[in-house]
Amino acid sequence: MAEGELKDMEQFFDELSDSFQGTEPDVHKTSVVGLFLRHMILAYNKLSFSQVYKLYTSLQNYFQCDKTKTTTKTENEEADMELTNTEEENEEEQELSEEREMEKEDLDFPIGEEELACSGPLSQKQAEYFLSHQASLLKNDESKALSPVLLQKELNNLLKFNPDFSEAHYLSYLNSLRVQDVFSSTHSLLHYFDRLILTGAESKSNGDEGYGRSLRYAALNLAAVHCRFGHYHQAELALQEAIRIAQESSDHVCLQHCLSWLYILKSRKGEDSSVLLEHSVKKAVHFGLPYLASLGIQFLVQQRAFAGKTADKLMDALKDSDLLHWKHSLSELIDISTAQKTAVWRLYGQSTMALQQAQMLLSMDSLDSVNVSVQQNNTESFAVVLCHLAELHAEQGFFSASSEILKHLRERFPPHSQHAKLWMMFDQKIQFERAMNDGKYHVTESLVTGITALNSVEGLYRKAIVLKAQNQTAEAHKILQVLLTHCQKVKNMEMVIRVLLSLAELYWRSSCHPVALPVLLQALALSREYRLQYLASETVLNLAFSQVGTFQRWL
C-alpha cells in the first residue's frame, strides 16, 4: 500500500469486508480477530477525506522509516507502534480539548458567516448534509446561504480530497450562476455529469438506461446554461444533441423538457413560439407533467398579455393553472401564478387589482416544509411582487414608503444574489423619476448609466427624457426615432406608446401642436388595441392638452 497509491489502501479495506462473507468465512464476526477487524473497518469508514489522506501519508512515512532501520528487532518495532499510538492519543485528546474550548467560545459570541462554513474536515455524511443544506438555502433563502466566495472556498476544499464528489461539482455550478460566471458554471456542470457517469451513480440503479439518461440531461442542462447567458447558437446545438439522444431512447419526459426550452430559446431570439408553446402544454398534460404544463400556461399568459388579449381570458387561464397547483401541492408555482397576476394587472394599468394580488402573495403561507431559520418567501416571485409594490407607492408620491420597501428588498436579496437585478432596476427607475420631478438633472445622468447597464432599451429611453428636459430637442428626437424603430421591430408595444408620447411632448415644446395630434392618435389606438388602460388615460390627457394648444394658436 505504501509503495502504491491511495486507491490501494481503499481496496484493502474493501476486500477486508469480504472476509466475513460466505458460509465458511475466513474470520468469524464474533471472534477476537473479527471484532478487531470490524472495529478497524468502522473507524476507517468514519474518517473524512482529509483524514484518509493523512492516514495514507502517515503509513508511507512509517514504512519508509521502517525500511531504513532493517536491523531493528520486532520488539522495538512494537514499542515504536505503541509510542506512536500513545502520541496519536495525546494529540487526539489535545484536539478534543481545543474543540471544547472553541464550543464554549461559540456559545459566548455571535456566529459569523465564516463560522457557518465547515471549519474542518468533514465525513461523507457531514459533507452530504452541508451540500444539501446550502442547496436548499440557495433555492429558498439565498440571504442565509454562504457568500459566493466563501461557499466556493469550502467546495474547493471538499473537491481537493475527493475530486469525484459529483454533488459538490453541481453546487459549484449553482454558486457560479449566482455571480454570472459563465466559464466556471459550464466547467462545473460538465464535471458533475462526467463524475456522475464515471462513478456509475445513475447506472447502478438503471443499468445502461441510467448512462444514457445522464448524457441527454447533460446536454439539456448545457443548453439551459447557454440560453441563460445569451449564447443562443451554442444553446441550440446542445438542445439538438439532447433531442437526438432522447429520441433514440424514447424518453418522452426529456423530450418534453427539450420542447419547453425550445420555445424559450425561440422567444429569446425574437421568433414566434406560440405554436410550439401550445403544443408543449398539451404534451405536458398528456404525459402527466403538471409542473411543465403550468409553466407553459404561465408563459402563454405572458405572451397573450403582450399581444393585447382581454384580462378575463388571461385570468381564466391562470385560474385553471391554479387548480392544477393546488391539486399537486405545487407551492412554488402558486407563488409564480400570483406574481404573474400582479404583473398582468400592472401592465393593464389596474393598480388596485395589482395591489390586491401583491398583498395576497405577501400574506400567504408556504406549503413547503422547510427549516425554521429558512424563509420560503425569499424567491423570485416575492421579489417581483415587492418591486411592483414599491413602484405603486412611488407613482402615488409615497417615496419614503417606496424607499422602505426597497430597503427591505436589499436586505432580503443581497446584491450578489441572483434576483438582485430586479430591485436594482426598480430602485434606479424610482430614483430617476424623483430626480426628474425635483429638477436634479445632474443626478439623472448617473442613474441613466445604471439603468442602461441593466436594460439597454429602458436606459436609452431615459436618456432621451433627460435630453428633452434639458431642451436638447434635436438629440432627444434622434434617440426617440431610433428607439421607436427598434421597439416596433421587436413588438414592445408598451415602450412604443411611451416613445410616441415623448415625441408628442417634443412637438409641443417646439410649438408644433398640430404635428403632435396624429402621433397621439396613433398612441391612443395602440393603447386601446393592447388594452393598456393607464397609458390610454395618459394619452387622452395629452391629446386634450395638444388640442387646447392648437386652439389657442388659432386664436
Side-chain angles (χ1 to χ4, degrees):
M1 285 189 288
E3 292 179 342
E5 298 178 354
L6 180 60
K7 65 179 181 180
D8 296 323
M9 187 178 71
E10 294 179 353
Q11 185 179 0
F12 167 74
F13 280 98
D14 290 339
E15 293 175 352
L16 200 61
S17 303
D18 298 336
S19 59
F20 301 106
Q21 297 177 0
T23 55
E24 295 182 359
D26 298 332
V27 181
H28 291 281
K29 292 183 179 180
T30 55
S31 65
V32 176
V33 177
L35 288 173
F36 174 75
L37 292 179
R38 287 166 62 192
H39 180 72
M40 185 168 64
I41 293 170
L42 184 63
Y44 178 78
N45 291 333
K46 286 184 178 180
L47 294 179
S48 64
F49 310 125
S50 58
Q51 289 171 334
V52 171
Y53 183 74
K54 187 177 180 181
L55 173 64
Y56 179 69
T57 53
S58 300
L59 183 65
Q60 283 183 319
N61 294 333
Y62 172 75
F63 179 75
Q64 293 298 331
C65 288
D66 185 71
K67 198 173 182 179
T68 57
K69 300 176 182 179
T70 54
T71 60
T72 306
K73 295 181 180 180
T74 308
E75 291 81 5
N76 293 335
E77 292 177 1
E78 293 177 356
D80 291 340
M81 285 294 291
E82 291 177 359
L83 181 61
T84 306
N85 292 335
T86 307
E87 289 175 355
E88 289 178 356
E89 289 176 358
N90 293 334
E91 289 178 0
E92 289 178 358
E93 290 177 358
Q94 185 178 357
E95 289 176 359
L96 286 172
S97 62
E98 289 177 357
E99 287 177 1
R100 291 192 189 100
E101 291 177 1
M102 287 296 292
E103 287 175 358
K104 290 179 181 179
E105 292 177 0
D106 291 342
L107 293 174
D108 297 333
F109 297 97
I111 299 175
E113 186 187 43
E114 295 193 1
E115 295 173 355
L116 290 172
C118 43
S119 56
L122 300 178
S123 66
Q124 180 75 22
K125 293 296 182 183
Q126 288 173 326
E128 289 175 357
Y129 173 76
F130 172 75
L131 294 177
S132 63
H133 181 62
Q134 290 298 316
S136 176
L137 288 175
L138 288 182
K139 178 184 177 184
N140 299 318
D141 193 359
E142 192 176 345
S143 60
K144 297 281 178 61
L146 296 178
S147 64
V149 176
L150 187 57
L151 180 56
Q152 193 61 46
K153 180 181 177 182
E154 296 298 333
L155 292 173
N156 291 339
N157 188 35
L158 289 176
L159 293 170
K160 177 182 177 182
F161 299 106
N162 188 4
D164 295 333
F165 201 3
S166 58
E167 290 83 356
H169 284 290
Y170 192 78
L171 187 59
S172 176
Y173 154 69
L174 295 178
N175 191 44
S176 299
L177 286 182
R178 296 166 70 189
V179 293
Q180 303 295 311
D181 188 347
V182 59
F183 175 76
S184 298
S185 59
T186 308
H187 180 76
S188 298
L189 182 67
L190 294 175
H191 271 288
Y192 165 70
F193 280 102
D194 285 344
R195 298 313 188 274
L196 199 66
I197 294 171
L198 291 174
T199 56
E202 286 285 337
S203 58
K204 285 179 181 177
S205 58
N206 298 327
D208 294 336
E209 173 60 22
Y211 178 83
R213 185 176 185 274
S214 297
L215 286 177
R216 53 184 176 268
Y217 277 100
L220 180 60
N221 278 272
L222 189 61
V225 172
H226 284 306
C227 186
R228 177 169 183 156
F229 288 108
H231 307 154
Y232 300 131
H233 179 64
Q234 292 90 333
E236 190 172 359
L237 292 176
L239 197 58
Q240 289 175 358
E241 179 71 10
I243 292 172
R244 183 185 63 80
I245 301 174
Q247 285 176 339
E248 291 176 355
S249 306
S250 299
D251 189 345
H252 297 289
V253 176
C254 184
L255 284 172
Q256 186 57 40
H257 281 280
C258 293
L259 183 59
S260 301
W261 275 105
L262 189 61
Y263 71 69
I264 291 174
L265 184 61
K266 284 188 174 294
S267 63
R268 293 279 182 90
K269 293 167 67 176
E271 301 176 10
D272 185 17
S273 61
S274 56
V275 177
L276 269 177
L277 187 53
E278 293 176 4
H279 181 66
S280 174
V281 173
K282 292 177 182 177
K283 283 288 186 181
V285 173
H286 174 71
F287 289 113
L289 303 172
Y291 195 92
L292 280 181
S294 178
L295 284 179
I297 292 172
Q298 302 292 332
F299 205 93
L300 199 59
V301 166
Q302 189 181 48
Q303 275 194 350
R304 292 182 175 177
F306 288 129
K309 301 297 181 181
T310 56
D312 58 335
K313 292 182 180 179
L314 299 181
M315 292 303 153
D316 283 341
L318 289 174
K319 181 192 70 176
D320 294 337
S321 68
D322 285 342
L323 293 175
L324 200 64
H325 303 156
W326 289 107
K327 179 181 179 181
H328 297 278
S329 298
L330 301 173
S331 176
E332 183 182 359
L333 293 180
I334 293 171
D335 298 344
I336 291 175
S337 178
T338 310
Q340 184 87 288
K341 291 174 187 176
T342 305
V344 169
W345 287 123
R346 283 283 295 140
L347 179 67
Y348 285 164
Q350 300 287 346
S351 57
T352 305
M353 295 300 297
L355 183 62
Q356 181 192 37
Q357 293 295 327
Q359 294 290 353
M360 184 185 299
L361 180 58
L362 293 175
S363 60
M364 188 184 298
D365 293 329
S366 172
L367 297 177
D368 291 345
S369 57
V370 292
N371 297 329
V372 178
S373 59
V374 178
Q375 295 185 18
Q376 181 70 16
N377 54 4
N378 278 15
T379 55
E380 184 180 11
S381 304
F382 280 84
V384 169
V385 165
L386 285 170
C387 287
H388 281 303
L389 202 60
E391 192 174 40
L392 282 169
H393 282 81
E395 286 179 356
Q396 296 174 9
F398 302 126
F399 288 105
S400 58
S402 178
S403 299
E404 288 295 323
I405 296 173
L406 289 169
K407 181 181 177 182
H408 177 70
L409 275 164
R410 206 172 286 112
E411 294 172 355
R412 180 174 284 189
F413 303 95
H416 60 75
S417 62
Q418 56 182 335
H419 304 313
K421 282 187 176 181
L422 292 170
W423 65 259
M424 286 180 179
M425 183 64 186
F426 279 83
D427 187 22
Q428 297 281 333
K429 287 166 65 176
I430 291 170
Q431 288 186 45
F432 178 86
E433 294 296 338
R434 191 170 188 177
M436 289 296 295
N437 293 339
D438 296 338
K440 299 178 181 179
Y441 303 134
H442 62 284
V443 178
T444 59
E445 293 178 359
S446 61
L447 294 173
V448 166
T449 305
I451 294 172
T452 305
L454 297 169
N455 189 327
S456 58
V457 174
E458 193 73 34
L460 194 61
Y461 172 71
R462 303 283 169 166
K463 183 179 180 181
I465 295 296
V466 174
L467 292 173
K468 180 183 66 177
Q470 294 174 342
N471 292 323
Q472 299 182 31
T473 309
E475 291 83 353
H477 185 269
K478 183 178 178 181
I479 292 174
L480 288 173
Q481 287 292 345
V482 172
L483 192 58
L484 181 63
T485 305
H486 172 73
C487 292
Q488 286 175 338
K489 183 179 179 181
V490 298
K491 297 182 179 180
N492 186 354
M493 290 304 154
E494 184 183 6
M495 183 58 75
V496 166
I497 296 167
R498 287 161 63 188
V499 169
L500 289 173
L501 292 176
S502 298
L503 283 171
E505 190 174 348
L506 277 180
Y507 296 140
W508 302 338
R509 291 175 179 271
S510 304
S511 299
C512 300
H513 290 278
V515 181
L517 286 174
V519 176
L520 289 171
L521 289 173
Q522 183 184 358
L524 183 60
L526 289 172
S527 301
R528 289 177 174 173
E529 180 184 352
Y530 289 92
R531 293 174 174 80
L532 307 178
Q533 295 183 13
Y534 181 82
L535 289 175
S537 302
E538 189 177 347
T539 306
V540 169
L541 289 174
N542 291 331
L543 192 59
F545 179 79
S546 182
Q547 288 175 336
V548 169
T550 305
F551 180 71
Q552 288 177 346
R553 186 179 179 184
W554 286 345
L555 291 178

